[in-house]
């Protein structure tokens, strides 16, 4: 089960902070900030889904991620490729390169990354 957009926003702050109390997470939100009870509810859902944990310090909880940001987004991208691009990475790449506003420099960098990955796979 994935995260809702609101839960994902809280997780992004938690990934950036690495460990945080509710107040620290609230401080990350732009104004107007959500109510502390709203963020506390989102944190409970995130914990229930297994994406974060906490250490109890007196009456305060120090939250921390249980999953790495890269692992989460890798899973999300793979699900998107499966669900929206017929499980075809080439269809995804075609969409990505044609429908986003990539400049020549970005395209050249992507090309280098792909070529480097191809070379490393050929060595196996």
């Amino acid at each position: 089960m994935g995260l809702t957009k609101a839960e994902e926003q809280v997780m992004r702050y938690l990934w950036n902070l690495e460990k945080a109390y509710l107040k620290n997470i609230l401080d990350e939100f732009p104004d107007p900030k959500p109510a502390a009870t709203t963020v506390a509810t989102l944190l409970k859902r995130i914990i229930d889904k297994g994406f974060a944990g906490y250490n109890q310090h007196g009456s305060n909880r120090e939250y921390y991620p249980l999953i790495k940001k890269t692992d989460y987004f890798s899973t999300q991208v793979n699900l998107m490729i499966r669900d929206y691009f017929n499980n075809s990475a080439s269809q995804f790449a075609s969409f990505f390169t044609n429908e986003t506003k990539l400049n020549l420099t970005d395209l050249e960098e992507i090309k280098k990354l792909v070529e480097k990955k191809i070379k490393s796979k050929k060595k196996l």
Side-chain angles (χ1 to χ4, degrees), residues 11-46:
M11 274 304 296
R12 285 181 183 173
Y13 296 146
L14 195 51
W15 280 314
N16 289 338
L17 295 167
E18 297 179 10
K19 287 186 176 183
Y21 294 96
L22 177 61
K23 182 193 178 320
N24 305 123
I25 296 168
L26 275 169
D27 288 344
E28 295 294 307
F29 279 90
D31 289 326
K33 296 185 185 303
T37 53
T38 301
V39 177
T41 299
L42 291 169
L43 283 164
K44 182 184 179 332
R45 289 182 190 161
I46 291 167

